[in-house]
Amino acid sequence: MSTLEFEDDPLDELFGDSAGTNLPSRVAKAPPASYSPPNYTESCRKCGGTGRYGNWGSCFACHGKGTRSFKTAPQARAANRADAVARKERDADGAWYVFRCGNPEVAAWIESSAPYSTFAASMLEAVRKWGSLTERQLAACESAVAKLAAGKAARAEQAKAAPAIDTSKIEAAFAAARASRDGAGRVMLRTEGAVFSAAKADSANPGAIYVKTGMRGEYLGKIVEGRFIALRSCTPEQAAAVQAASVDPLASAKAYGLKTRSCSCCGRELTDPDSIAAGIGPTCASNYGW
Ligand SMILES: [Zn+2]
Ligand SMILES: [Zn+2]
């Protein structure tokens, strides 16, 4: 009897129970003599083919050989790695979805804060990796949510308490100056008791106008979308100065120019007799739409 005739028969049928329990139940088919298993040998990526790791040890990935052999083609292994990454990504998305359903407020805070808060970003990573947060992490997130809500409420309260000042004229003048300068130079208005300066175009409030008591004075608040949002520290007298300049910015600019002999808008000295008489330079007047 040749081996080919019984190669697929169970061993216990051939040898009875004495065959033992540790033997495989079937004898593997022997490959043809001409067959040689695929062997893909590559330079080791971990050590760059040197076989060394750092300055001392031998590379753990290739055991110091500098090459590694695989039974699967590099393309197939790359595809498997990509599959594994995609699977991990899907699992992380799923973990985040489940967490968000259970903790909508914290999740919303994490999502909106992650781009600029490393803490929020690390919480996002933690949920995506582990599926949940520790009690302490969750408590820290909840306190951040509460702080944010309190800040929002305080700002709303502050806006409600803001003095009612008609800011339309000063906002129009600043809009005209911003457009005419095309972003070059700071749009400003110096007046008696209040200095207005435009927020930078790339700031958080690109349309805002900041108000101080003087060029190096104290900050009083800002004008945003038709409202003067004053600091609590802004006194009624200071608010009145803001009010006066806002209601008639041209008259305030001229008054400043007549008094100081310098332009309210650009701060330059007024030298032309007409400008001195007008209290403002012609270029600035036109830039600010006056
Ligand atoms: Zn290596
Ligand atoms: Zn000027």
Side-chain angles (χ1 to χ4, degrees):
M1 192 154 91
S2 89
T3 51
L4 283 176
E5 287 174 64
F6 65 81
E7 61 178 347
D8 278 327
D9 292 335
L11 282 183
D12 53 1
E13 281 176 25
L14 293 169
F15 298 109
D17 288 340
S18 63
T21 50
N22 288 334
L23 285 170
S25 61
R26 284 167 189 266
V27 176
K29 198 176 252 178
S34 62
Y35 176 82
S36 73
N39 183 7
Y40 300 92
T41 300
E42 296 169 12
S43 175
C44 174
R45 287 192 221 186
K46 281 274 191 288
C47 60
T50 62
R52 314 282 303 161
Y53 188 81
N55 291 324
W56 59 95
S58 75
C59 173
F60 65 89
C62 63
H63 304 290
K65 289 199 300 276
T67 57
R68 297 184 70 190
S69 299
F70 300 94
K71 290 200 169 61
T72 23
Q75 296 90 328
R77 274 180 295 117
N80 287 343
R81 277 198 298 274
D83 274 355
V85 168
R87 203 175 322 119
K88 217 169 156 186
E89 194 64 19
R90 272 199 307 278
D91 288 351
D93 287 346
W96 178 253
Y97 176 79
V98 170
F99 177 82
R100 197 171 52 188
C101 291
N103 307 273
E105 285 189 330
V106 166
W109 176 79
I110 290 177
E111 278 179 345
S112 62
S113 311
Y116 55 85
S117 155
T118 50
F119 171 70
S122 70
M123 294 302 98
L124 181 61
E125 270 318 294
V127 172
R128 288 175 63 82
K129 192 168 179 186
W130 310 111
S132 62
L133 297 177
T134 67
E135 245 168 73
R136 285 182 61 168
Q137 288 171 331
L138 195 60
C141 290
E142 278 164 351
S143 111
V145 169
K147 220 187 248 178
L148 194 72
K152 237 182 218 168
R155 275 195 298 282
E157 202 52 41
Q158 205 178 21
K160 237 193 272 170
I165 288 178
D166 177 9
T167 59
S168 58
K169 279 190 178 163
I170 196 159
E171 284 185 290
F174 269 58
R178 273 194 181 103
S180 72
R181 290 187 173 200
D182 211 13
R186 198 82 187 266
V187 176
M188 286 191 82
L189 194 72
R190 299 150 180 85
T191 70
E192 183 83 34
V195 169
F196 302 78
S197 60
K200 287 185 181 132
D202 58 358
S203 72
N205 303 302
I209 301 171
Y210 299 117
V211 189
K212 292 164 105 182
T213 55
M215 284 304 284
R216 285 184 178 74
E218 68 183 273
Y219 180 60
L220 294 178
K222 63 186 170 188
I223 291 170
V224 183
E225 287 164 13
R227 305 185 75 120
F228 173 51
I229 301 167
L231 290 194
R232 243 184 275 262
S233 59
C234 178
T235 66
E237 293 74 31
Q238 289 169 329
V242 176
Q243 155 101 342
S246 303
V247 166
D248 197 344
L250 176 57
S252 301
K254 282 181 164 179
Y256 177 90
L258 290 172
K259 191 176 173 190
T260 64
R261 278 227 181 176
S262 59
C263 176
S264 163
C265 306
C266 64
R268 287 198 199 96
E269 191 190 348
L270 299 169
T271 50
D272 180 78
D274 290 344
S275 300
I276 294 169
I280 190 165
T283 309
C284 282
S286 128
N287 283 348
Y288 282 67
W290 294 322

